[in-house]
Amino acid sequence: MNLGHDLTPVAAGGLLDRRLFLKQGLAFSAVVLSADALATAEHMRPESSKTAGEAFSNYGLPSKYERETIRWTVANSNADGNGVAWTPLQDLEGSITPNGLHFERHHNGVPDIDPQQHQLLIHGLVNKALIFNLEQLLQYPMLSRMCFIECGGNSNAGWRTEPIQTKLGYFHGMVSCSEWTGVPLRLLLNEAKLKGRAKWLVAEGADASLMNVSLPLDKALKDCFIALYQNGERIRPENGYPLRLIVPGWEGVVNVKWLRRLHITNRPVMARNETSKYTELMPSGTARQFTFVMEAKSVITKPSFGHKLTRHGLYQISGLAWSGRGKIKAVEVSADGGKTWALAELQTPVLSQCFTRFRIPWQWQGETVILQSRAIDETGYVQPTRAALVAQRGTHGYFHYNAIVSWKIATNGEISHVYA
Ligand SMILES: Nc1nc2c(c(=O)[nH]1)N[C@H]1C(S)=C(S)[C@@H](COP(=O)(O)O)O[C@H]1N2
Ligand SMILES: [Mo]
């Protein structure tokens, strides 16, 4: 294919200048028309234009041709309604997760909560115990911010000794990104007037598991909020309707859904989800606890496992990067298993603790390549290789797996997950 453009790779394996597609119009695969074919195409009336279309609807749904873009649901047998619905990251673009595809993680099912009945209690080490109903909460000043929520157990198949062969969403899809709107927690805590000894809060949900976790008050006062809206509409039942706690950048479990109670204390409550779960055995034999921050991670979403390359030539690699510590500073992509790297283009705006979409042009000539991405955040933290992560943390961790992911493209265009 002679495109008459400078396709000199900037790194091995065919990676091209990240701005190439922005700067130049390149030929991909569209058919160039003959004069006859052009005349026919010009005068052709599409079938869809021959009759009036469907009537209006009260609430829209995706196209019937997109029914494969769905969550993967897995039920755990330890409790009713315990399980995960995974976001199909491999089928999505941009950086917002549609509400119907936000991942779900429930310990005991989705409760049916009547917003007229629901109340939020703030008590414990405060001068004034307060109780709010929805109508009252909706009168408080609100803020909106985009941020990801990621389960601390996301990507944990990476700890297995053999690389899991499954679609990206079923491996890394316990992370999603929305615009959340709600009331800063600081406002409510200030109104309750914290006592001097107050150091932690224990947040509890109104679901059957009465799930509770402890959160240091300095984080709560800094940037946490009680979300009532998700991407503009009221929060979906499975994501916490009518209200949930948002703790930007910290592991999913502290983002308590169906929030009913904030108990202010001077120490953590040592709940199940901060002792038996969401702690990690280290090679030293001691365990890590309260590892709240989700460290930088990135994945190439396209191409990824389950996709197949059917032609040689130009591709646009696309992926997601995020960091619980702040903004993504850079994403590098390698097509030779990590020997050489090229800078990817970051989609703006780049927001703190939020999905950042990256893209880079790539020319595939049919050789075997290993594609990887590596995120670097504004604190200078670099996403580790799998070998480095395992050396540091052992393999009994289960949580907080954020190593570089490798996709091997075979000469026939098939994609597998490898440890490189
Ligand atoms: N009340 C309650 N809050 C909860 C949970 C739960 O089961 N009950 N699951 C937690 C876990 S482990 C995660 S990862 C996130 C998932 O949020 P999502 O289902 O909106 O994606 O919610 C957290 N909040
Ligand atoms: Mo989680």
Side-chain angles (χ1 to χ4, degrees):
M1 183 166 29
N2 179 7
L3 299 158
H5 292 285
D6 182 12
L7 297 179
T8 315
V10 296
L15 289 169
L16 303 175
D17 181 290
R18 70 186 203 276
R19 317 229 50 181
L20 186 73
F21 289 169
L22 301 174
K23 286 191 297 214
Q24 300 180 341
L26 296 175
F28 282 82
S29 53
V31 176
V32 179
L33 293 174
S34 67
D36 280 357
L38 176 60
T40 314
E42 260 179 354
H43 294 107
M44 193 183 76
R45 183 157 181 180
E47 279 307 310
S48 58
S49 71
K50 291 179 183 164
T51 53
E54 291 290 317
F56 306 100
S57 66
N58 300 109
Y59 198 96
L61 286 174
S63 162
K64 67 179 180 193
Y65 302 106
E66 299 298 330
R67 289 205 178 131
E68 307 273 294
T69 302
I70 49 174
R71 292 186 284 225
W72 292 37
T73 60
V74 180
N76 296 342
S77 54
N78 49 0
D80 288 342
N82 189 323
V84 180
W86 307 74
T87 295
L89 297 173
Q90 71 284 352
D91 299 325
L92 302 179
E93 252 297 336
S95 41
I96 286 292
T97 313
N99 287 348
L101 295 176
H102 194 285
F103 87 98
E104 299 174 55
R105 171 76 187 97
H106 320 308
H107 288 80
N108 214 171
V110 179
D112 176 358
I113 297 179
D114 176 352
Q116 306 273 16
Q117 305 298 323
H118 191 74
Q119 293 184 315
L120 173 65
L121 171 67
I122 301 184
H123 68 137
L125 294 178
V126 292
N127 288 309
K128 280 192 294 176
L130 298 175
I131 193 150
F132 303 87
N133 61 27
L134 261 286
E135 203 189 324
Q136 290 158 338
L137 273 178
L138 285 161
Q139 289 167 16
Y140 276 78
M142 295 196 198
L143 57 79
S144 298
R145 69 161 293 181
M146 283 163 59
C147 60
F148 70 82
I149 295 180
E150 180 175 25
C151 180
N154 192 30
S155 318
N156 65 29
W159 295 116
R160 297 183 189 186
T161 44
E162 293 301 320
I164 188 170
Q165 301 303 332
T166 190
K167 284 188 184 175
L168 176 67
Y170 198 23
F171 178 12
H172 296 285
M174 277 199 279
V175 62
S176 303
C177 186
S178 297
E179 184 209 58
W180 302 95
T181 298
V183 181
L185 196 46
R186 188 174 6 90
L187 289 182
L188 307 182
L189 295 178
N190 287 345
E191 190 173 332
K193 296 201 187 322
L194 299 171
K195 292 202 164 151
R197 289 186 301 127
K199 284 274 171 329
W200 290 76
L201 68 73
V202 182
E204 184 186 84
D207 52 330
S209 73
L210 284 177
M211 206 207 72
N212 64 344
V213 290
S214 312
L215 195 67
L217 268 182
D218 50 3
K219 174 69 173 176
L221 291 165
K222 187 176 163 215
D223 59 359
C224 296
F225 58 104
I226 311 284
L228 300 148
Y229 295 85
Q230 175 182 7
N231 293 328
E233 64 180 0
R234 294 293 290 274
I235 292 181
R236 293 281 170 101
E238 52 272 35
N239 302 114
Y241 185 86
L243 50 92
R244 84 175 300 165
L245 189 57
I246 298 286
V247 184
W250 286 22
E251 58 185 8
V253 69
V254 292
N255 293 255
V256 175
K257 302 189 281 188
W258 316 295
L259 184 68
R260 68 166 287 260
R261 190 152 75 105
L262 295 169
H263 187 205
I264 313 302
T265 60
N266 60 356
R267 60 195 160 90
V269 68
M270 298 297 173
R272 173 181 183 271
N273 278 312
E274 60 206 36
T275 51
S276 130
K277 306 289 173 198
Y278 299 101
T279 52
E280 299 151 80
L281 191 58
M282 301 285 285
S284 63
T286 58
R288 303 202 310 170
Q289 190 183 21
F290 300 124
T291 44
F292 291 123
V293 177
M294 297 308 294
E295 288 184 318
K297 191 186 284 188
S298 69
V299 287
I300 292 173
T301 58
K302 201 176 81 182
S304 63
F305 183 94
H307 299 149
K308 189 173 175 185
L309 305 190
T310 53
R311 58 181 171 82
H312 297 173
L314 288 174
Y315 286 86
Q316 189 180 43
I317 293 173
S318 180
L320 288 171
W322 61 99
S323 167
R325 297 174 182 232
K327 290 183 188 175
I328 291 295
K329 190 170 75 188
V331 178
E332 297 170 323
V333 173
S334 173
D336 60 359
K339 288 190 214 60
T340 61
W341 297 88
L343 265 188
E345 182 71 3
L346 301 185
Q347 178 65 61
T348 53
V350 175
L351 301 174
S352 187
Q353 296 150 322
C354 189
F355 273 180
T356 298
R357 176 64 64 176
F358 65 87
R359 302 185 180 95
I360 188 168
W362 172 54
Q363 187 169 38
W364 185 56
Q365 274 150 343
E367 70 277 35
T368 302
V369 296
I370 292 182
L371 294 180
Q372 300 178 320
S373 63
R374 170 166 86 181
I376 299 150
D377 72 19
E378 62 178 339
T379 70
Y381 177 92
V382 182
Q383 184 182 6
T385 62
R386 186 172 183 281
L389 189 71
V390 167
Q392 188 198 12
R393 305 244 303 272
T395 50
H396 299 290
Y398 191 80
F399 297 100
H400 288 271
Y401 184 91
N402 71 326
I404 291 169
V405 177
S406 308
W407 302 123
K408 180 177 173 182
I409 317 282
T411 52
N412 65 2
E414 269 168 22
I415 302 174
S416 56
H417 175 214
V418 293
Y419 291 154

